[in-house]
Amino acid sequence: MNLPSKNDFPVGSRFYIKEFDVPLVQIPDASLSKWFNWFGGKPKEYAPEGLKPGNNWEAESFSEWQKIVKESL
């Protein structure tokens, strides 16, 4: 399986980590942003209502986020 690369995402995408091991990505959309959970290496839609202050943070780099995806495989 190939890990996602930053070029796989539209410009403006933001990468988050939830609870230390869940890689999330927020993809900008014309009407609203869409969230995806990449745990296991495949994107699944994610409802951001589960995000609370303190249980998630923006990844310091794409490489950090990509490492979380790799560890979930």
Coordinates of all heavy atoms in Angstrom, one line a residue:
M1 N 0.8 -1.2 0.0 CA 0.0 0.0 0.0 C 0.9 1.2 0.0 O 1.9 1.3 0.7 CB -0.9 0.0 1.2 CG -1.5 1.4 1.5 SD -2.7 1.3 2.9 CE -4.1 1.1 1.9
N2 N 0.5 2.2 -0.8 CA 1.3 3.5 -0.9 C 0.7 4.4 0.1 O -0.5 4.6 0.2 CB 1.2 4.1 -2.3 CG 2.0 3.3 -3.3 OD1 2.9 2.6 -2.9 ND2 1.5 3.3 -4.5
L3 N 1.5 5.1 0.9 CA 1.1 6.1 1.8 C 0.6 7.4 1.0 O 1.2 7.6 -0.1 CB 2.2 6.6 2.7 CG 2.6 5.5 3.8 CD1 3.8 6.0 4.6 CD2 1.4 5.3 4.7
P4 N -0.3 8.1 1.5 CA -0.7 9.3 0.8 C 0.4 10.3 0.8 O 1.2 10.4 1.7 CB -1.9 9.9 1.6 CG -1.8 9.2 2.9 CD -1.1 7.9 2.7
S5 N 0.5 11.1 -0.3 CA 1.5 12.2 -0.4 C 0.8 13.5 -0.3 O -0.4 13.6 -0.6 CB 2.4 12.1 -1.7 OG 1.6 12.5 -2.8
K6 N 1.5 14.5 0.0 CA 0.8 15.9 0.1 C 0.2 16.3 -1.2 O -0.8 17.0 -1.2 CB 1.8 16.9 0.6 CG 1.2 18.2 1.0 CD 2.0 19.0 1.9 CE 1.2 20.1 2.5 NZ 1.9 20.9 3.4
N7 N 0.7 15.8 -2.3 CA 0.2 16.1 -3.6 C -1.2 15.5 -3.9 O -1.9 15.9 -4.8 CB 1.2 15.8 -4.7 CG 2.4 16.6 -4.7 OD1 2.4 17.7 -4.3 ND2 3.5 16.0 -5.2
D8 N -1.6 14.5 -3.0 CA -2.9 13.9 -3.2 C -4.0 14.7 -2.7 O -5.2 14.4 -2.8 CB -2.9 12.5 -2.4 CG -1.9 11.5 -3.0 OD1 -1.6 11.6 -4.2 OD2 -1.4 10.6 -2.2
F9 N -3.7 15.8 -2.0 CA -4.7 16.7 -1.4 C -4.7 18.1 -2.0 O -3.7 18.6 -2.4 CB -4.4 16.8 0.1 CG -4.4 15.5 0.8 CD1 -3.2 14.8 1.0 CD2 -5.5 14.9 1.3 CE1 -3.1 13.6 1.7 CE2 -5.5 13.7 1.9 CZ -4.3 13.0 2.1
P10 N -5.9 18.7 -2.1 CA -6.0 20.0 -2.6 C -5.3 21.0 -1.8 O -5.1 20.8 -0.6 CB -7.5 20.3 -2.6 CG -8.2 19.1 -2.1 CD -7.2 18.1 -1.6
V11 N -4.9 22.1 -2.4 CA -4.2 23.2 -1.7 C -5.2 23.7 -0.6 O -6.4 23.8 -0.8 CB -3.9 24.3 -2.7 CG1 -3.4 25.6 -1.9 CG2 -2.9 23.9 -3.7
G12 N -4.7 23.9 0.6 CA -5.5 24.4 1.7 C -5.9 23.3 2.6 O -6.6 23.6 3.6
S13 N -5.6 22.1 2.3 CA -6.0 21.0 3.2 C -5.2 21.1 4.5 O -4.0 21.5 4.5 CB -5.7 19.6 2.5 OG -6.5 19.4 1.4
R14 N -5.8 20.7 5.6 CA -5.2 20.8 6.9 C -5.2 19.4 7.5 O -6.2 18.7 7.4 CB -5.9 21.8 7.8 CG -5.8 23.2 7.1 CD -6.6 24.3 7.9 NE -5.9 24.5 9.2 CZ -6.4 25.4 10.1 NH1 -7.5 26.1 9.8 NH2 -5.7 25.6 11.2
F15 N -4.1 19.1 8.2 CA -3.9 17.8 8.7 C -3.9 17.8 10.2 O -3.1 18.6 10.8 CB -2.6 17.2 8.1 CG -2.6 17.2 6.6 CD1 -2.1 18.3 5.9 CD2 -3.1 16.2 6.0 CE1 -2.1 18.3 4.5 CE2 -3.2 16.2 4.6 CZ -2.7 17.2 3.9
Y16 N -4.7 16.9 10.8 CA -4.8 16.9 12.3 C -4.6 15.5 12.8 O -4.6 14.5 12.1 CB -6.3 17.3 12.6 CG -6.6 18.7 12.4 CD1 -7.0 19.1 11.1 CD2 -6.5 19.7 13.4 CE1 -7.3 20.5 10.9 CE2 -6.8 21.0 13.2 CZ -7.2 21.4 11.9 OH -7.5 22.7 11.7
I17 N -4.3 15.5 14.1 CA -4.1 14.2 14.8 C -5.1 14.3 16.0 O -5.1 15.2 16.8 CB -2.7 14.0 15.3 CG1 -1.7 14.0 14.1 CG2 -2.6 12.7 16.2 CD1 -0.3 14.1 14.5
K18 N -5.9 13.2 16.1 CA -6.9 13.1 17.2 C -6.4 12.0 18.2 O -6.1 10.9 17.7 CB -8.3 12.8 16.7 CG -9.3 12.7 17.8 CD -10.7 12.3 17.3 CE -11.6 12.2 18.4 NZ -12.8 11.4 18.1
E19 N -6.4 12.4 19.4 CA -6.1 11.4 20.5 C -4.8 10.6 20.2 O -4.8 9.4 20.4 CB -7.3 10.5 20.8 CG -8.5 11.3 21.3 CD -9.7 10.5 21.5 OE1 -9.8 9.4 21.1 OE2 -10.7 11.1 22.0
F20 N -3.8 11.2 19.7 CA -2.5 10.7 19.4 C -2.3 9.7 18.3 O -1.2 9.4 17.8 CB -1.9 10.0 20.7 CG -1.8 11.0 21.9 CD1 -2.8 11.0 22.8 CD2 -0.8 11.9 21.9 CE1 -2.8 11.9 23.9 CE2 -0.7 12.8 23.0 CZ -1.7 12.9 23.9
D21 N -3.4 9.1 17.8 CA -3.2 8.0 16.8 C -4.3 8.0 15.7 O -4.3 7.1 14.9 CB -3.2 6.6 17.4 CG -4.5 6.2 18.1 OD1 -5.4 7.1 18.2 OD2 -4.6 5.1 18.5
V22 N -5.1 9.0 15.6 CA -6.1 9.1 14.5 C -5.7 10.2 13.6 O -5.8 11.4 14.0 CB -7.5 9.3 15.1 CG1 -8.5 9.3 13.9 CG2 -7.8 8.1 16.0
P23 N -5.3 9.9 12.3 CA -5.0 11.0 11.4 C -6.2 11.5 10.6 O -7.0 10.7 10.0 CB -4.1 10.2 10.4 CG -4.5 8.8 10.4 CD -5.1 8.6 11.8
L24 N -6.5 12.8 10.8 CA -7.6 13.4 10.2 C -7.1 14.4 9.2 O -6.1 15.0 9.4 CB -8.5 14.1 11.2 CG -9.1 13.3 12.3 CD1 -9.8 14.2 13.3 CD2 -10.0 12.2 11.8
V25 N -7.9 14.6 8.2 CA -7.6 15.7 7.2 C -8.9 16.5 7.0 O -10.0 16.0 6.8 CB -7.0 15.2 5.9 CG1 -8.0 14.3 5.1 CG2 -6.6 16.3 5.0
Q26 N -8.7 17.8 6.9 CA -9.8 18.7 6.6 C -9.6 19.3 5.2 O -8.6 19.9 5.0 CB -9.9 19.9 7.6 CG -11.0 20.8 7.4 CD -10.9 22.0 8.3 OE1 -9.8 22.4 8.8 NE2 -12.0 22.6 8.6
I27 N -10.5 19.0 4.3 CA -10.3 19.4 2.9 C -11.3 20.5 2.6 O -12.5 20.4 2.9 CB -10.6 18.2 2.0 CG1 -9.5 17.1 2.2 CG2 -10.6 18.6 0.5 CD1 -9.7 15.9 1.4
P28 N -10.7 21.6 2.1 CA -11.6 22.8 1.8 C -12.5 22.4 0.6 O -12.2 21.6 -0.3 CB -10.6 23.9 1.4 CG -9.4 23.2 0.9 CD -9.3 21.9 1.7
D29 N -13.7 22.9 0.7 CA -14.8 22.7 -0.3 C -15.4 24.0 -0.6 O -15.4 24.9 0.3 CB -15.8 21.7 0.2 CG -16.8 21.2 -0.8 OD1 -17.7 22.0 -1.0 OD2 -16.6 20.1 -1.4
A30 N -16.0 24.2 -1.7 CA -16.6 25.4 -2.1 C -17.7 25.8 -1.1 O -17.9 27.0 -0.8 CB -17.2 25.4 -3.5
S31 N -18.5 24.9 -0.6 CA -19.6 25.2 0.3 C -19.2 25.0 1.8 O -19.7 25.8 2.6 CB -20.8 24.4 0.0 OG -20.5 23.0 0.0
L32 N -18.5 24.0 2.1 CA -18.1 23.7 3.5 C -16.9 22.8 3.5 O -16.6 22.2 2.5 CB -19.2 23.1 4.3 CG -19.7 21.7 3.9 CD1 -20.1 20.9 5.1 CD2 -20.8 21.8 2.9
S33 N -16.2 22.7 4.6 CA -15.1 21.9 4.6 C -15.5 20.4 4.9 O -16.5 20.2 5.5 CB -14.1 22.3 5.7 OG -14.6 22.2 7.0
K34 N -14.8 19.5 4.4 CA -15.1 18.1 4.6 C -13.9 17.4 5.4 O -12.8 17.8 5.1 CB -15.3 17.4 3.2 CG -16.4 17.9 2.5 CD -16.7 17.1 1.2 CE -18.0 17.7 0.6 NZ -18.5 16.8 -0.4
W35 N -14.3 16.5 6.2 CA -13.3 15.9 7.1 C -13.2 14.4 6.7 O -14.2 13.8 6.4 CB -13.7 16.0 8.5 CG -13.5 17.4 9.1 CD1 -14.4 18.4 9.0 CD2 -12.4 17.8 9.9 NE1 -13.9 19.5 9.6 CE2 -12.7 19.1 10.2 CE3 -11.3 17.2 10.4 CZ2 -11.8 19.9 11.0 CZ3 -10.4 17.9 11.2 CH2 -10.7 19.3 11.5
F36 N -12.0 13.8 6.8 CA -11.8 12.4 6.5 C -10.8 11.8 7.6 O -9.9 12.5 8.0 CB -11.2 12.2 5.1 CG -12.1 12.6 4.0 CD1 -12.1 13.9 3.5 CD2 -13.0 11.7 3.5 CE1 -13.0 14.3 2.5 CE2 -13.9 12.0 2.5 CZ -13.9 13.3 2.0
N37 N -11.1 10.6 8.0 CA -10.3 9.9 8.9 C -9.4 8.9 8.0 O -10.0 8.1 7.3 CB -11.2 9.1 9.8 CG -10.4 8.2 10.8 OD1 -9.3 7.8 10.6 ND2 -11.1 7.8 11.8
W38 N -8.1 9.0 8.1 CA -7.2 8.1 7.3 C -6.7 6.9 8.1 O -5.7 6.3 7.7 CB -6.1 9.0 6.8 CG -6.5 9.6 5.5 CD1 -7.2 10.7 5.3 CD2 -6.1 9.2 4.2 NE1 -7.4 11.0 4.0 CE2 -6.7 10.0 3.3 CE3 -5.3 8.1 3.7 CZ2 -6.5 9.9 1.9 CZ3 -5.2 8.0 2.4 CH2 -5.8 8.8 1.5
F39 N -7.2 6.6 9.3 CA -6.8 5.5 10.1 C -6.9 4.2 9.2 O -8.0 4.0 8.7 CB -7.6 5.3 11.4 CG -7.0 4.4 12.4 CD1 -6.0 4.8 13.2 CD2 -7.4 3.1 12.4 CE1 -5.4 3.9 14.1 CE2 -6.8 2.2 13.2 CZ -5.9 2.6 14.1
G40 N -5.9 3.4 9.1 CA -5.9 2.2 8.3 C -5.5 2.4 6.9 O -5.5 1.5 6.1
G41 N -5.2 3.7 6.5 CA -4.7 4.0 5.2 C -5.7 4.3 4.1 O -5.3 4.5 3.0
K42 N -7.0 4.3 4.4 CA -8.0 4.6 3.5 C -8.9 5.7 4.0 O -9.3 5.6 5.2 CB -8.8 3.3 3.1 CG -8.0 2.3 2.4 CD -8.9 1.2 1.9 CE -8.0 0.2 1.2 NZ -8.8 -0.9 0.5
P43 N -9.3 6.7 3.3 CA -10.1 7.7 3.8 C -11.5 7.3 4.0 O -12.1 6.6 3.2 CB -10.0 8.8 2.7 CG -9.7 8.1 1.5 CD -8.9 6.9 1.9
K44 N -12.0 7.7 5.2 CA -13.4 7.5 5.5 C -14.0 8.9 6.0 O -13.3 9.6 6.7 CB -13.6 6.5 6.6 CG -13.1 5.1 6.3 CD -13.0 4.2 7.5 CE -11.7 4.2 8.2 NZ -10.4 4.1 7.6
E45 N -15.2 9.2 5.5 CA -15.8 10.5 6.0 C -15.8 10.5 7.5 O -16.0 9.5 8.1 CB -17.1 10.7 5.4 CG -17.1 11.1 3.9 CD -18.4 11.7 3.4 OE1 -19.0 12.5 4.1 OE2 -18.8 11.2 2.3
Y46 N -15.6 11.7 8.0 CA -15.6 11.9 9.5 C -16.4 13.0 9.9 O -16.4 14.1 9.2 CB -14.1 12.1 9.9 CG -14.0 12.3 11.4 CD1 -14.0 11.2 12.3 CD2 -13.9 13.6 11.9 CE1 -13.8 11.4 13.6 CE2 -13.8 13.8 13.3 CZ -13.8 12.7 14.1 OH -13.7 12.9 15.5
A47 N -17.3 12.8 10.9 CA -18.1 13.9 11.4 C -17.3 14.7 12.5 O -17.0 14.1 13.5 CB -19.4 13.3 12.0
P48 N -17.0 15.9 12.2 CA -16.2 16.7 13.1 C -16.8 17.0 14.5 O -16.2 17.6 15.4 CB -15.8 18.0 12.4 CG -17.0 18.1 11.4 CD -17.4 16.7 11.0
E49 N -18.1 16.6 14.7 CA -18.7 16.9 16.0 C -18.0 16.2 17.1 O -18.1 16.6 18.3 CB -20.2 16.5 15.9 CG -21.1 17.3 15.0 CD -21.0 16.9 13.6 OE1 -20.6 15.8 13.3 OE2 -21.3 17.7 12.7
G50 N -17.2 15.1 16.8 CA -16.5 14.4 17.8 C -15.2 15.1 18.3 O -14.6 14.7 19.2
L51 N -14.9 16.2 17.6 CA -13.7 17.0 18.0 C -14.0 17.9 19.1 O -15.0 18.7 19.0 CB -13.1 17.7 16.8 CG -12.7 16.9 15.6 CD1 -12.3 17.8 14.4 CD2 -11.6 15.9 15.9
K52 N -13.2 17.9 20.1 CA -13.3 18.8 21.3 C -12.0 19.4 21.6 O -11.0 18.9 21.3 CB -13.8 18.0 22.5 CG -15.2 17.4 22.3 CD -15.6 16.6 23.5 CE -17.0 16.2 23.5 NZ -17.4 15.2 22.6
P53 N -12.0 20.6 22.2 CA -10.7 21.2 22.5 C -9.9 20.3 23.4 O -10.4 19.7 24.4 CB -11.1 22.5 23.3 CG -12.5 22.8 22.8 CD -13.1 21.5 22.5
G54 N -8.7 20.0 23.0 CA -7.8 19.2 23.8 C -7.7 17.7 23.3 O -6.8 17.0 23.6
N55 N -8.7 17.2 22.5 CA -8.6 15.9 22.0 C -8.0 15.8 20.6 O -7.9 14.7 20.0 CB -9.9 15.1 22.1 CG -10.9 15.4 21.0 OD1 -10.7 16.4 20.2 ND2 -12.0 14.6 21.0
N56 N -7.6 16.9 20.0 CA -7.0 16.9 18.6 C -6.2 18.2 18.5 O -6.3 19.1 19.3 CB -8.2 16.9 17.6 CG -8.9 18.2 17.6 OD1 -8.6 19.1 16.8 ND2 -9.9 18.4 18.4
W57 N -5.3 18.1 17.5 CA -4.4 19.3 17.2 C -3.9 19.2 15.8 O -4.0 18.1 15.2 CB -3.2 19.3 18.2 CG -2.5 18.0 18.3 CD1 -1.4 17.6 17.5 CD2 -2.8 16.9 19.1 NE1 -1.0 16.3 17.8 CE2 -1.8 15.9 18.8 CE3 -3.7 16.7 20.1 CZ2 -1.8 14.6 19.4 CZ3 -3.7 15.4 20.7 CH2 -2.8 14.4 20.4
E58 N -3.6 20.3 15.3 CA -3.0 20.3 13.9 C -1.6 19.7 13.9 O -0.8 20.0 14.8 CB -3.0 21.7 13.3 CG -2.8 21.8 11.9 CD -3.2 23.1 11.2 OE1 -3.6 24.0 11.9 OE2 -3.1 23.1 10.0
A59 N -1.4 18.8 13.0 CA 0.0 18.2 12.9 C 1.0 19.3 12.6 O 0.7 20.3 11.9 CB 0.0 17.2 11.7
E60 N 2.2 19.1 13.2 CA 3.2 20.1 13.0 C 3.8 20.1 11.6 O 4.3 21.1 11.1 CB 4.4 19.8 14.0 CG 4.0 20.1 15.4 CD 5.1 19.9 16.4 OE1 6.3 19.9 16.0 OE2 4.9 19.7 17.6
S61 N 3.6 18.9 10.9 CA 4.0 18.8 9.5 C 3.3 17.7 8.8 O 2.7 16.9 9.5 CB 5.5 18.5 9.5 OG 5.8 17.2 10.0
F62 N 3.3 17.7 7.5 CA 2.7 16.6 6.8 C 3.4 15.3 7.1 O 2.7 14.3 7.3 CB 2.7 16.9 5.3 CG 2.0 15.7 4.5 CD1 0.7 15.7 4.4 CD2 2.8 14.7 3.9 CE1 0.1 14.6 3.7 CE2 2.2 13.7 3.3 CZ 0.8 13.6 3.2
S63 N 4.7 15.3 7.3 CA 5.4 14.1 7.6 C 5.0 13.5 9.0 O 4.9 12.3 9.1 CB 6.9 14.4 7.7 OG 7.4 14.8 6.5
E64 N 4.7 14.4 9.9 CA 4.2 13.8 11.2 C 2.8 13.2 11.0 O 2.6 12.1 11.5 CB 4.0 15.0 12.2 CG 3.4 14.5 13.6 CD 3.1 15.7 14.5 OE1 2.8 16.8 14.0 OE2 3.0 15.4 15.7
W65 N 1.9 13.8 10.3 CA 0.6 13.2 10.0 C 0.8 11.9 9.2 O 0.1 10.9 9.5 CB -0.2 14.2 9.2 CG -1.6 13.8 8.8 CD1 -2.7 13.8 9.6 CD2 -2.0 13.1 7.6 NE1 -3.8 13.3 8.9 CE2 -3.3 12.8 7.7 CE3 -1.3 12.7 6.5 CZ2 -4.1 12.2 6.7 CZ3 -2.0 12.1 5.5 CH2 -3.4 11.9 5.6
Q66 N 1.6 11.9 8.2 CA 1.9 10.7 7.4 C 2.4 9.5 8.2 O 2.0 8.4 8.0 CB 2.8 11.0 6.3 CG 3.0 9.9 5.2 CD 4.0 10.3 4.2 OE1 5.1 10.7 4.5 NE2 3.6 10.2 2.9
K67 N 3.2 9.8 9.2 CA 3.7 8.8 10.1 C 2.6 8.1 10.9 O 2.6 6.9 11.1 CB 4.8 9.4 11.1 CG 5.4 8.4 12.0 CD 6.4 9.1 12.9 CE 6.8 8.1 14.0 NZ 7.4 8.7 15.1
I68 N 1.6 8.9 11.3 CA 0.5 8.4 12.0 C -0.3 7.5 11.1 O -0.8 6.4 11.6 CB -0.4 9.5 12.6 CG1 0.4 10.4 13.5 CG2 -1.7 9.0 13.3 CD1 0.8 9.8 14.8
V69 N -0.5 7.9 9.9 CA -1.2 7.0 8.9 C -0.4 5.7 8.8 O -1.0 4.6 8.9 CB -1.3 7.6 7.5 CG1 -1.9 6.6 6.5 CG2 -2.2 8.9 7.6
K70 N 0.9 5.7 8.6 CA 1.7 4.5 8.5 C 1.6 3.6 9.7 O 1.5 2.4 9.5 CB 3.2 4.9 8.2 CG 4.1 3.7 8.0 CD 5.5 4.2 7.7 CE 6.4 3.0 7.4 NZ 7.8 3.4 7.2
E71 N 1.6 4.2 10.9 CA 1.5 3.4 12.1 C 0.1 2.7 12.2 O 0.0 1.7 13.0 CB 1.8 4.2 13.3 CG 3.3 4.6 13.4 CD 3.5 5.7 14.5 OE1 2.6 6.2 15.1 OE2 4.7 6.0 14.7
S72 N -0.9 3.2 11.5 CA -2.2 2.7 11.6 C -2.5 1.5 10.7 O -3.5 0.9 10.7 CB -3.3 3.8 11.4 OG -3.4 4.1 10.0
L73 N -1.5 1.2 9.8 CA -1.7 0.1 8.8 C -1.5 -1.2 9.5 O -0.7 -1.4 10.4 CB -0.7 0.3 7.7 CG -0.8 1.6 6.9 CD1 0.3 1.7 5.9 CD2 -2.2 1.7 6.3

